[in-house]
Amino acid sequence: MMKVKMKISGGFRDKYTAEAVTLIRSYISTIRKNGIRVIEAITSAFENNPWIQGENNMRTYAQDRMVVSTCSQHA
């Protein structure tokens, strides 16, 4: 007997699930490209305050890494 169906792993059962996953992956990709912490952005999105490009309402990796150093010159 011929094989009629073949199981494909990694597929989605319906169109809406696939669209939701691609939307979430796109959001995460954009967050990373802008140097925003992913977990904070996702948490903020669930709290109805999503990160939107152009609105600077979240700290970036660069802001967290900035170190202010003071140098005093000896005379």
Side-chain angles (χ1 to χ4, degrees):
M1 186 172 219
M2 275 178 52
K3 193 181 222 183
V4 177
K5 289 186 178 181
M6 182 180 280
K7 173 115 174 128
I8 299 174
S9 63
F12 299 104
R13 291 190 180 260
D14 61 9
K15 176 183 171 185
Y16 303 109
T17 305
E19 288 174 352
V21 169
T22 55
L23 182 65
I24 293 166
R25 290 185 70 174
S26 174
Y27 184 69
I28 291 172
S29 175
T30 303
I31 289 167
R32 284 185 177 148
K33 288 177 186 175
N34 285 279
I36 306 297
R37 290 184 175 169
V38 174
I39 193 69
E40 289 178 10
I42 291 172
T43 303
S44 182
F46 278 114
E47 293 171 349
N48 205 19
N49 184 27
W51 178 83
I52 300 171
Q53 192 168 3
E55 295 180 14
N56 196 7
N57 58 353
M58 287 194 179
R59 293 179 60 87
T60 63
Y61 291 125
Q63 289 172 333
D64 288 339
R65 292 183 183 159
M66 285 193 322
V67 177
V68 178
S69 62
T70 56
C71 297
S72 59
Q73 293 186 3
H74 299 286

